[in-house]
Amino acid sequence: IDYLSEQGYGQIYVLHPNVVKSTQGRFRQSRAKDDRMDARVIADLLRTDRHRFISYQPDQGLTCEIRSRINLIQFLTVQIVATSNRLWSILMRYYPTALNIFSGLDQLITLEFIQAYPTPQEATRLTFEEFQKFATAHRYYRKTEWLNCFQRLQAPQLTAQPEVVDAYSPQAKYLAENLESLLRTKTKLLKETETLFRTIADIKSRGIGIIYISHKLEEVKLIGDRITVLRDGLNVATVTAKDADLQQIISLMIGKELSRSHALRTTVAN
């Protein structure tokens, strides 16, 4: 659509597929569908019912930039979830301890540890002094946790067969490296997107109204002043955006409290 607009087409109409589907009976009782008939239906709709449709208006530069970044962030999120799931299943096969040393696969320190020590044998040979050096080098400054992490590393664990370790450790190292890159890229994009959101805030401060459509609650919290939740046609609640908790908003939307597992899945997806 943007391409057609750039080529100088002044009036462009975007018709929802359901509109075309509900009108297919104009020329055929059987409602048989093919591209030629769809083109005829669309042309006839615009000839007879153009007043019902609003012509497409191209986005401004800021909107295009935000939309492209958000689309990329959503793509990266899907890749992160898929890569995390694959890495988790591989580690469970031969190296489950790596999942419990730190907080989880969404932490860079965990991924860096897997890359540095991709096998259980390499990890268990670590001394506490070497572990401290690793934590410091990778900016894991929670020193009160160092001993607990090291003790989890040294705890007895199931030992996989050498051929299993040899088969899966290169995959784990590769996936950890890939996942680390994805997480760093997403974090960078989120920071850049926040800068764009601040531009929106600047526009808003000048008294200019903005309509921003998104299904990401974090963006709603960043941009909005107040959040009004509608459910079943009723105004359920209005809360201040900066004070609203994501789980609170979701609970208002679905009409019940989130369970711990649902809350965890929501956090990982976001």
Side-chain angles (χ1 to χ4, degrees):
I1 297 174
D2 291 331
Y3 175 79
L4 293 176
S5 178
E6 292 166 0
Q7 298 307 307
Y9 289 88
Q11 287 188 316
I12 301 174
Y13 293 89
V14 181
L15 304 187
H16 193 280
N18 288 343
V19 174
V20 179
K21 182 178 179 180
S22 64
T23 320
Q24 285 176 342
R26 284 191 175 190
F27 303 107
R28 286 182 179 176
Q29 290 184 342
S30 65
R31 294 179 180 266
K33 177 177 171 52
D34 58 56
D35 291 342
R36 183 172 175 273
M37 184 55 64
D38 283 349
R40 183 180 179 185
V41 170
I42 292 171
D44 196 61
L45 271 172
L46 292 178
R47 180 180 64 82
T48 60
D49 297 61
R50 186 178 302 183
H51 61 280
R52 295 170 46 203
F53 308 112
I54 299 175
S55 62
Y56 169 78
Q57 300 297 323
D59 292 328
Q60 299 297 317
L62 178 61
T63 306
C64 287
E65 189 172 359
I66 291 176
R67 184 177 61 186
S68 66
R69 289 182 184 276
I70 294 300
N71 287 341
L72 180 54
I73 289 171
Q74 292 174 348
F75 171 79
L76 290 175
T77 300
V78 172
Q79 298 301 311
I80 287 170
V81 172
T83 306
S84 296
N85 290 341
R86 179 62 180 168
L87 179 56
W88 182 89
S89 65
I90 287 176
L91 292 173
M92 286 296 293
R93 181 68 179 83
Y94 85 100
Y95 192 10
T97 302
L99 296 168
N100 302 318
I101 299 172
F102 302 99
S103 299
L105 292 179
D106 58 340
Q107 300 295 315
L108 293 177
I109 186 66
T110 302
L111 302 174
E112 290 164 344
F113 188 86
I114 293 170
Q115 293 174 69
Y117 306 99
T119 68
Q121 292 76 16
E122 292 176 284
T124 53
R125 285 197 295 265
L126 273 176
T127 65
F128 185 57
E129 289 73 22
E130 291 172 332
F131 184 83
Q132 288 177 306
K133 290 180 180 179
F134 170 85
T136 302
H138 292 84
R139 301 180 180 180
Y140 187 70
Y141 297 130
R142 297 169 59 185
K143 294 185 179 181
T144 55
E145 290 294 320
W146 285 1
L147 182 58
N148 292 332
C149 292
F150 184 74
Q151 288 175 344
R152 286 194 288 269
L153 175 63
Q154 297 297 320
Q157 57 182 299
L158 295 175
T159 304
Q161 295 296 323
E163 57 269 21
V164 174
V165 175
D166 292 340
Y168 286 106
S169 57
Q171 294 185 38
K173 186 174 181 178
Y174 168 78
L175 290 171
E177 181 180 357
N178 190 27
L179 185 54
E180 179 187 355
S181 176
L182 288 169
L183 288 171
R184 291 187 184 277
T185 302
K186 181 179 177 180
T187 300
K188 179 183 177 182
L189 284 170
L190 286 171
K191 290 180 178 178
E192 293 174 352
T193 304
E194 287 179 7
T195 302
L196 295 175
F197 286 157
R198 284 194 288 272
T199 303
I200 291 179
D202 179 62
I203 295 173
K204 185 172 63 176
S205 67
R206 287 181 270 157
I208 301 175
I210 298 172
I211 298 176
Y212 183 85
I213 300 173
S214 173
H215 67 281
K216 292 289 185 181
L217 293 180
E218 293 90 345
E219 296 168 15
V220 176
K221 280 176 56 64
L222 283 170
I223 297 176
D225 298 317
R226 294 178 304 279
I227 299 174
T228 298
V229 178
L230 303 178
R231 188 177 72 247
D232 298 331
L234 299 176
N235 185 337
V236 177
T238 298
V239 296
T240 304
K242 66 178 181 179
D243 298 329
D245 179 79
L246 289 181
Q247 293 188 31
Q248 174 195 5
I249 297 172
I250 296 172
S251 296
L252 290 170
M253 292 169 62
I254 65 177
K256 60 181 180 180
E257 292 295 325
L258 282 178
S259 66
R260 185 177 182 278
S261 60
H262 279 87
L264 178 61
R265 286 198 296 270
T266 301
T267 302
V268 171
N270 289 331

